[in-house]
Amino acid sequence: MSSRVIRFLAVLLTALALIPAGGLTQPAPDRQACAAGEAEAVIGQPYSPELAERARRTAGAREVQKVEPGGAYTTDLNADRLNIEVDRAGIVTGLHCG
């Protein structure tokens, strides 16, 4: 057997060893991701940590983030994060997940 074939087989066997026992398929999520529309009742209210937590629970999100005008925020998308947009006066103007 040539060294090229042996190297190929070694790489193939290594790759196969790294595949999880359950295969390559992802299990279905146990719950639905963040649903911002479910928490729309907070729009128009003054932002507070208590309001943010209530909106997070209502939306089914795992995280919550306050988004202020001119603020610096993470650019990663996270389907389990509720973003609460506020205006300069601290009033909730919108909600979105991501």
Side-chain angles (χ1 to χ4, degrees), residues 28-53:
D30 294 336
R31 62 177 194 81
Q32 184 180 11
C34 174
E38 298 294 321
E40 286 182 346
V42 302
I43 294 175
Q45 297 183 34
Y47 178 89
S48 70
E50 294 79 18
L51 176 133
E53 179 59 20

Side-chain angles (χ1 to χ4, degrees), residues 17-86:
L18 296 175
I19 295 175
L24 295 175
T25 58
Q26 294 279 331
D30 294 336
R31 62 177 194 81
Q32 184 180 11
C34 174
E38 298 294 321
E40 286 182 346
V42 302
I43 294 175
Q45 297 183 34
Y47 178 89
S48 70
E50 294 79 18
L51 176 133
E53 179 59 20
R54 188 173 73 240
R56 182 197 66 75
R57 283 193 316 268
T58 302
R62 291 187 183 183
E63 299 176 30
V64 66
Q65 175 174 256
K66 181 180 179 184
V67 179
E68 301 175 278
Y73 306 99
T74 180
T75 58
D76 69 319
L77 295 177
N78 180 345
D80 277 334
R81 180 175 53 227
L82 177 66
N83 295 290
I84 302 178
E85 300 169 10
V86 299

